[in-house]
Amino acid sequence: METREKILRAIDRNSKLTPADLSKMLGVTEQEVADEIRSMEEESVICGYPTLINWDYTEHERVTALIEVKVTPQRGLGFDKIAERIYKFEEVTAVYLVSGNYDLIVILEGKSMREIANFVSEKLSPLEAVVSCSTNFVLKKYKEHGMPLVSGTKEDERMLVTP
């Protein structure tokens, strides 16, 4: 496996790794790592460094929805133009072209089911290329970005009741 792929695999799991950390892990110089990362950023191989947050452990209420969207592809552009139009909405966290009964999967987050319903009815459905939508709400997240979000080690906070 080449250095570039090793760097990508390492920072995909932990974006907090520094070039110094990576150089030790991979047996290359820190400068080689820094140059490779800079090159991958310029080539848009590395597009950002998001943080994985388990919002269930915060006070912020968030609802995640997966919306299956059937669209009419545009001549000469296919699905790209409508996908771009959809992913530019602030609420949208991901858009995927998929096979099956629908063409796109749109993932978005909102403060409530009502907010997501408003997005679908006021922003997504009115788009000319959108033929139909089917909204699925995420009830619980178990794993995201390759990392488990639930911990089996959380202590039981209930009080012990003894006779």
Side-chain angles (χ1 to χ4, degrees):
M1 187 181 326
E2 65 180 90
T3 301
R4 181 176 264 217
E5 186 176 344
K6 288 177 182 177
I7 292 171
L8 290 172
R9 288 184 184 277
I11 64 175
D12 188 42
R13 287 285 185 197
N14 182 358
S15 64
K16 290 179 73 172
L17 291 172
T18 66
D21 297 331
L22 290 164
S23 73
K24 289 175 191 168
M25 291 169 59
L26 306 177
V28 297
T29 68
E30 192 173 331
Q31 188 60 52
E32 286 177 273
V33 171
D35 290 345
E36 195 65 50
I37 289 173
R38 188 177 321 101
S39 174
M40 289 188 286
E41 289 170 341
E42 290 169 358
E43 296 168 17
S44 294
V45 172
I46 296 175
C47 301
Y49 299 89
T51 302
L52 179 59
I53 299 170
N54 187 343
W55 289 101
D56 289 344
Y57 293 148
T58 71
E59 295 178 11
H60 300 284
E61 290 292 323
R62 295 183 90 91
V63 176
T64 302
L66 285 73
I67 304 171
E68 300 166 311
V69 184
K70 193 172 284 197
V71 300
T72 303
Q74 295 181 328
R75 186 178 306 262
L77 300 171
F79 297 99
D80 294 347
K81 197 66 175 170
I82 186 64
E84 179 182 355
R85 187 141 182 229
I86 293 169
Y87 74 61
K88 286 186 175 181
F89 289 116
E90 184 179 329
E91 301 91 336
V92 174
T93 60
V95 177
Y96 302 105
L97 178 63
V98 296
S99 62
N101 294 329
Y102 291 88
D103 303 307
L104 301 172
I105 298 291
V106 177
I107 300 174
L108 65 114
E109 291 186 346
K111 293 177 185 171
S112 65
M113 288 184 177
R114 167 69 55 212
E115 189 174 277
I116 289 173
N118 288 342
F119 172 84
V120 172
S121 65
E122 296 171 10
K123 295 181 179 180
L124 185 59
S125 292
L127 295 176
E128 189 175 305
V130 172
V131 176
S132 65
C133 298
S134 175
T135 303
N136 302 280
F137 289 98
V138 173
L139 302 177
K140 184 174 184 175
K141 294 180 183 180
Y142 293 98
K143 186 175 185 179
E144 194 168 76
H145 196 66
M147 303 187 77
L149 295 175
V150 293
S151 171
T153 61
K154 189 171 182 182
E155 292 183 20
D156 191 348
E157 297 177 357
R158 295 176 294 179
M159 291 180 59
L160 179 62
V161 177
T162 59

